[in-house]
Each structure stands twice: as structure tokens, then as C-alpha cells.
Amino acid sequence: GALVATGRVAQVVDGGADEGSRWAGRAGRVKWLGSLGDDDALLSPGDVDERGAAIVTQAQLHAVSLELGELAAEWEELVRSTGRERFSGHLDSVLADLGAMPRVERPNARALWAAGLINPHPALGVALEVRPAVLTARSTARRLSMAKTGLEDSISRLRLPGPCF
């Protein structure tokens, strides 16, 4: 798997031994790969086949990345208009923590941002948990797909009356 911390990308190379409780965590080792800001494709070794040829075209990735922005805007409007924030200013706080959505030309960063939007801490309780799937995807197409599916599912739930879950 991969993780993102302070804009740097790491690959977990040793998950460490179980320390007796899921709450205690695990000591482990990571290999720092670089900065997502410098190379958006850093998270996606699965974007190319064994010969180095692209599996999905940049135009296809761009289209889904663009769609994520549209879905995120719709999702934000629905959260606000249906009164689904857990407390006043909840969504504004999430957006302030996330910062602006990354540019469409950075599809991996954009997918991570979308996952953080719909699954923040503290939770809004309006979306299935997609962060693990988005973080561990080995291709840009899969990462975008997981974020898009999460947004679409949450939008469907937000359109219904009553609690989302």
C-alpha cells in the first residue's frame, strides 16, 4: 500500500508485527517515493504494462478527473441543502483542511482529495468509506473509479429523505 503524509508519498515495505491491539498500531517501515506534487503518477505503478505502455489513455483519465470535480460540487451542494452537516460549519472546516481541489491534470491527487472530502474526520456520515480503496489502488484509473463511485453512491443517498445509513 501507499500513504500520503505532508505531501510525500511512501510505500509500506514492512507492516510490522501485531502489537496486541488494533488500537496500538504497528511499528513498520516505509520507503519514501517522492512528492505527489512533483509527480502525480507516483502512486500508480499499474498505469503501464510490463513493456511500459499506457493501459489507459491520458484523455480517459482527464475525463474522469474532470467528472470528479463536477460530482464533488454536486455533493457539496447536497450536503448543505439537505442539512447533513453534523455541526454548524462542519463542511467548511473539512474544505479548509483539504484546501482547494487539485487541478484536473493531477488525477491521483484529485482522487485522494475527493476521498478526503466525503470521508473526513470527524465523519459526516453520508458516504461509504472509500479512503482505503483510493489509497491502495495501484493505478490512476482504479483510484479515480473508487473516488467516483464513492461520490456517486453518496449523492444517491443524499437525495433520499432520512439518514444516509
Side-chain angles (χ1 to χ4, degrees):
L3 60 95
V4 178
T6 64
R8 297 186 307 163
V9 178
Q11 179 179 5
V12 177
V13 293
D14 176 15
D18 185 355
E19 297 186 13
S21 163
R22 69 181 188 163
W23 306 112
R26 293 175 181 233
R29 293 181 311 134
V30 298
K31 174 182 163 189
W32 292 105
L33 301 175
S35 168
L36 191 57
D38 295 336
D39 182 4
D40 188 76
L42 199 57
L43 286 177
S44 303
D47 281 356
V48 295
D49 64 19
E50 60 279 351
R51 297 180 321 267
I55 293 171
V56 179
T57 69
Q58 289 301 312
Q60 290 168 313
L61 295 175
H62 186 273
V64 180
S65 184
L66 189 62
E67 192 174 1
L68 274 188
E70 296 163 0
L71 289 168
E74 180 180 357
W75 181 89
E76 181 183 340
E77 173 56 34
L78 280 167
V79 168
R80 291 183 193 283
S81 67
T82 59
R84 302 295 176 96
E85 293 177 276
R86 294 256 169 116
F87 53 86
S88 178
H90 190 175
L91 188 54
D92 288 333
S93 175
V94 169
L95 290 166
D97 288 345
L98 287 172
M101 184 179 219
R103 297 181 325 273
V104 70
E105 299 83 16
R106 297 185 57 219
N108 284 298
R110 206 163 164 96
L112 292 168
W113 185 93
L117 175 68
I118 67 174
N119 296 137
H121 281 295
L124 283 161
V126 298
L128 296 171
E129 178 61 74
V130 298
R131 288 173 304 175
V134 171
L135 282 168
T136 60
R138 296 196 45 84
S139 74
T140 303
R142 180 77 173 156
R143 188 166 292 109
L144 286 168
S145 173
M146 293 294 95
K148 180 182 172 190
T149 298
L151 278 162
E152 289 172 337
D153 179 80
S154 184
I155 287 168
S156 295
R157 292 171 188 276
L158 287 164
R159 288 182 177 149
L160 300 172
C164 289
F165 293 94

